[in-house]
Amino acid sequence: MTDLDMAAPRVSPVPAEAFAVSPELAGDAFKRLSELQDVVGQLVRQAKVLGRSVPLGAGYAGEVGDFMAQYGLGGEDSAADSLTRFGRELEDLEAQITAALERYETEDEAAADGVDCVGGG
């Protein structure tokens, strides 16, 4: 387990039926998620640049170059891998919001079908 894993506990997915979302809130949530996904995509690209081996020479400079390459693209604990996993979690969250919005609309339609407006006042 890395320091990053310990610093940011994993959030288990919430079943779609666990919450409802209004159309107004869903629109705002989608906008913010899209902005966050853009930032994550940019960070992945930057991490991949770090992953390029930079010949900095021998000794300490060489160690720094090796660390940068390992940190950028070095596999399971690399920045690119962590950010990619985070991006997938954002996609899952979008899917959950979509399911909640569909449920909200279905329940709203069902409630509207059950209302009889008779008389006046």
Side-chain angles (χ1 to χ4, degrees):
M1 182 174 279
T2 66
D3 291 339
L4 183 61
D5 291 334
M6 291 171 28
R10 297 191 189 266
V11 177
S12 56
V14 176
E17 63 275 357
F19 68 97
V21 63
S22 71
E24 298 80 21
L25 292 176
D28 187 52
F30 283 131
K31 178 182 175 216
R32 292 179 188 271
L33 283 171
S34 177
E35 291 168 356
L36 186 54
Q37 286 173 319
D38 290 345
V39 170
V40 170
Q42 181 181 6
L43 291 172
V44 168
R45 288 188 294 279
Q46 290 173 351
K48 288 182 178 182
V49 169
L50 274 179
R52 295 183 189 140
S53 181
V54 180
L56 296 177
Y60 180 71
E63 290 178 26
V64 170
D66 290 345
F67 172 78
M68 286 173 48
Q70 178 67 26
Y71 178 73
L73 290 174
E76 193 173 323
D77 294 329
S78 70
D81 187 62
S82 296
L83 288 166
T84 300
R85 283 194 312 267
F86 181 58
R88 284 190 210 114
E89 290 178 13
L90 292 175
E91 289 173 2
D92 290 345
L93 182 57
E94 280 184 323
Q96 291 175 26
I97 292 172
T98 299
L101 180 59
E102 289 169 355
R103 190 176 54 262
Y104 175 91
E105 291 171 348
T106 299
E107 291 176 7
D108 191 47
E109 289 172 8
D113 289 342
V115 175
D116 290 328
C117 294
V118 179

